[in-house]
Structure formats: C-alpha cells, structure tokens
Amino acid sequence: MHEQAPALCRETGDKRGEAVLMRGLLEITTWNSPPGPGPAMTRTGDDPDRR
C-alpha cells in the first residue's frame, strides 16, 4: 500500500496527495529509526526527486 498510493497519486497528477503521503511515510520512518545517521537519513537521500 505504501508504494501503490503514491504511485496512484503520480498517475492521476495529484501532487498534494503524493506530498501528504510522502511526508507521512517520512515521519514514520524518522520516528521509528534509531537516533543519529542511519537508514532514515540514507533513504531520504536516495531519491532527490522526492523532496
């Protein structure tokens, strides 16, 4: 679901919906990751188009 919903937003041109979903996923990833540089920071830098 976390991949399908943003993809659907991109297909339909719903930029706001995509942004809301991506922000929510980023917050979940950040808060569930250990403190300091790690997987959350690595993932946010992997795809510069998603900022």
Side-chain angles (χ1 to χ4, degrees), residues 12-49:
T12 59
D14 184 1
K15 295 207 177 272
R16 180 178 289 165
E18 182 182 4
V20 169
L21 289 170
M22 296 308 295
R23 179 177 176 167
L25 289 172
L26 178 64
E27 288 182 11
I28 290 168
T29 301
T30 301
W31 288 109
N32 285 333
S33 297
M41 292 301 186
T42 302
R43 275 191 292 265
T44 57
D46 284 345
D47 189 355
D49 293 332

